[in-house]
């Protein structure tokens, strides 16, 4: 593990590789209200940083399981985007490059972890997400 002080500096200086997952259930999108920065308090898709040595598909599966406690299937890579945030979970500005997958779930029975305030089904994805994914 990287010591916290060093990782904070890395987050501030180097783009972080992330994975986002557009989860689909019953023709609707699964959105999560974020409890942590970046995008704290906003509706977003499931996702987060990749670990060294982990493929992006492995990250996608892990993040769905960690954040919502559910299994997803039919993962399909649908794009890549980059974003810049004024504040990260470390309290410093950050940038990320995100690989985006879509996936399906058979049951909507989320058990959100501490990074998620709430979960909902939506007919639409967040505008900021769509803007970056184009």
């Amino acid at each position: 593990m990287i010591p916290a002080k060093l990782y904070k500096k890395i987050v501030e200086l180097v783009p972080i590789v992330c994975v986002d997952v557009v989860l689909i259930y019953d023709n609707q999108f699964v959105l999560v209200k974020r409890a942590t920065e970046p995008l704290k308090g906003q509706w977003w898709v499931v996702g987060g940083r990749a670990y060294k040595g982990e493929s992006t598909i492995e990250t996608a599966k892990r993040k769905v399981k960690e954040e919502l406690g559910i299994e997803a299937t039919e993962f399909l890579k649908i794009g890549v985007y980059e974003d810049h945030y004024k504040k990260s979970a470390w309290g410093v500005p950050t940038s990320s490059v995100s690989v985006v997958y879509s996936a399906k779930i058979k049951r909507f029975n989320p058990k959100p972890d501490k990074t998620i305030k709430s979960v909902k089904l939506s007919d639409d994805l967040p505008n900021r997400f769509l803007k970056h994914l184009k």
Side-chain angles (χ1 to χ4, degrees):
M1 294 292 285
I2 299 172
K5 187 175 180 181
L6 176 58
Y7 190 72
K8 178 179 179 180
K9 195 66 169 169
I10 291 169
V11 167
E12 186 175 20
L13 297 175
V14 179
I16 304 301
V17 176
C18 294
V19 174
D20 283 344
V21 184
V22 177
L23 284 174
I24 301 165
Y25 172 75
D26 198 25
N27 294 316
Q28 291 188 297
F29 301 112
V30 177
L31 298 182
V32 297
K33 188 175 240 182
R34 296 184 47 88
T36 59
E37 296 291 354
L39 304 173
K40 182 178 180 177
Q42 295 185 39
W43 290 102
W44 204 253
V45 296
V46 170
R49 76 168 183 255
Y51 293 151
K52 181 179 177 179
E54 182 179 57
S55 69
T56 57
I57 188 71
E58 290 170 334
T59 303
K61 291 176 181 179
R62 175 178 58 80
K63 293 309 295 180
V64 172
K65 186 71 173 166
E66 281 178 0
E67 291 187 8
L68 295 179
I70 55 180
E71 303 283 336
T73 60
E74 300 181 45
F75 285 83
L76 176 68
K77 194 181 299 182
I78 60 172
V80 175
Y81 74 93
E82 57 187 273
D83 205 347
H84 310 280
Y85 308 97
K86 292 179 182 178
K87 192 173 184 185
S88 67
W90 295 87
V92 295
T94 189
S95 295
S96 66
V97 175
S98 294
V99 178
V100 183
Y101 285 87
S102 66
K104 294 182 179 179
I105 58 173
K106 293 181 180 165
R107 284 189 225 137
F108 183 70
N109 59 343
K111 297 168 190 76
D113 71 3
K114 65 182 180 178
T115 67
I116 307 298
K117 280 188 177 180
S118 56
V119 183
K120 72 175 181 178
L121 295 173
S122 175
D123 291 327
D124 301 303
L125 290 168
N127 287 334
R128 180 185 176 124
F129 181 79
L130 291 173
K131 181 183 97 174
H132 287 300
L133 192 55
K134 288 184 180 182

